[in-house]
Amino acid sequence: MTDWKAFTVETKDHVAQVTLTGPGKGNSMGPDFWAELPEIFTALDADPEVRAVVLAGSGKHFSFGLDLQAMAPLFGPLMADKALAAPRTTFHDEVKRLQASVTAVADCRKPVIAAIQGWCIGGGVDLIAAVDVRYASADAKFSIREAKVAIVADIGSLHRLPPIIGEGHLRELAFTGKDIDAARAEKIGLVNDVFPDAEATLAAAHATAAEIAANPPLVVQGVKDVLGRERSATVTDGLRYVAAWNAAFLPSEDLTEAIQSVFEKRAPEFKGR
């Protein structure tokens, strides 16, 4: 498991470290990320030598989220004038594929601990919502930013975060698209603990992973299975609904404006059309 384009994977003492490496700026999530993530976590799930997983980001940031430029072909056919059933069906299938990539993390029977530093935006929050334990460095910042780019978040944060941070906090973050720092993230329960820097955060994640790995592996997997039982049906239903919703309603002048403003590095002007 060494020839990945968007990740590195290393295993030692029953703990695997999966590290986001890009290739986009800020470990942004392009085609390689979405293709490789489920392969990696399916393999880790099946590996009897792995008992816990640490998920980290390389460089100064965890992830800037979806790589809009690299993933632009996903939106192009849907934004065409009078997009009919075929492009909407294709888009719907693609959304379900991206959802399945992150769900592979949630479904991994080995507990996953995220070590987060710097920015964790959009798809990055979708990803950490799918893990079991979240640690952050003091410089970490979080944003469910999809609303600011005229998109309903559809990869899992809206469905996995309610039992983690509560409905009120989730609605505030999702409606506004605001940024929050590590201290606020800890206060609302988005992260378990905050550490001085990225190095200390990663060390803490590995310490917890080692504690987990020292326990009977099948019992740990059973605990994760039991804890996830009630939530899994709700999440599955919610992901199905939002995929259909976005296939029907995502195309808009506001989405075009949002994408153009990103490329042109200016503030968008939304008109509700």
Side-chain angles (χ1 to χ4, degrees):
M1 296 177 65
T2 57
D3 297 327
W4 305 107
K5 296 179 180 178
F7 298 90
T8 59
V9 181
E10 299 175 292
T11 301
K12 181 181 180 181
D13 298 329
H14 300 299
V15 175
Q17 179 173 323
V18 179
T19 306
L20 285 69
T21 61
K25 183 179 180 181
N27 303 320
S28 56
M29 301 169 169
D32 292 328
F33 172 91
W34 299 106
E36 293 175 357
L37 184 66
E39 292 185 29
I40 289 170
F41 274 87
T42 297
L44 294 175
D45 177 80
D47 188 344
E49 291 301 309
V50 174
R51 298 184 180 183
V53 181
V54 172
L55 181 63
S58 61
K60 295 181 179 179
H61 304 285
F62 183 77
S63 179
F64 286 173
L66 187 72
D67 188 334
L68 282 175
Q69 187 167 9
M71 299 297 288
L74 174 67
F75 299 100
L78 192 67
M79 298 303 295
D81 186 38
K82 297 180 180 179
L84 299 177
R88 291 178 189 274
T89 299
T90 299
F91 179 81
H92 183 250
D93 291 342
E94 282 297 296
V95 170
K96 290 195 294 182
R97 182 178 69 85
L98 304 190
Q99 291 175 342
S101 293
V102 172
T103 296
V105 178
D107 286 349
C108 180
R109 290 173 295 173
K110 319 303 172 62
V112 183
I113 303 104
I116 305 149
Q117 80 280 7
W119 279 110
C120 180
I121 302 172
V125 177
D126 289 316
L127 181 57
I128 67 167
V131 309
D132 300 287
V133 177
R134 287 158 289 277
Y135 293 150
S137 63
D139 72 340
K141 291 180 285 187
F142 304 83
S143 180
I144 303 174
R145 196 172 289 183
E146 283 86 348
K148 287 187 176 291
V149 290
I151 296 173
V152 174
D154 56 8
I155 308 300
S157 58
L158 299 186
H159 311 100
R160 293 189 171 100
L161 287 180
I164 298 172
I165 66 175
E167 287 278 354
H169 292 305
L170 176 57
R171 288 172 186 266
E172 178 185 358
L173 297 179
F175 291 158
T176 64
K178 66 167 60 176
D179 307 331
I180 62 170
D181 61 16
R184 176 75 192 284
E186 183 182 21
K187 183 177 181 180
I188 67 176
L190 180 58
V191 299
N192 296 58
D193 209 344
V194 176
F195 298 89
D197 53 36
E199 184 178 358
T201 305
L202 186 61
H206 273 280
T208 298
E211 285 189 76
I212 293 169
N215 288 331
L218 297 182
V219 170
V220 171
Q221 293 173 31
V223 171
K224 180 167 181 175
D225 182 51
V226 171
L227 287 173
R229 177 182 175 275
E230 292 186 9
R231 183 175 65 172
S232 62
T234 301
V235 171
T236 298
D237 183 63
L239 290 174
R240 184 184 300 113
Y241 182 85
V242 74
W245 197 97
N246 269 350
F249 299 114
L250 186 68
S252 68
E253 291 182 12
D254 282 346
L255 177 57
T256 300
E257 167 65 10
I259 294 174
Q260 288 179 345
S261 69
V262 169
F263 292 145
E264 296 171 7
K265 298 181 180 180
R266 58 174 175 80
E269 296 182 14
F270 297 128
K271 299 179 180 179
R273 296 202 294 262

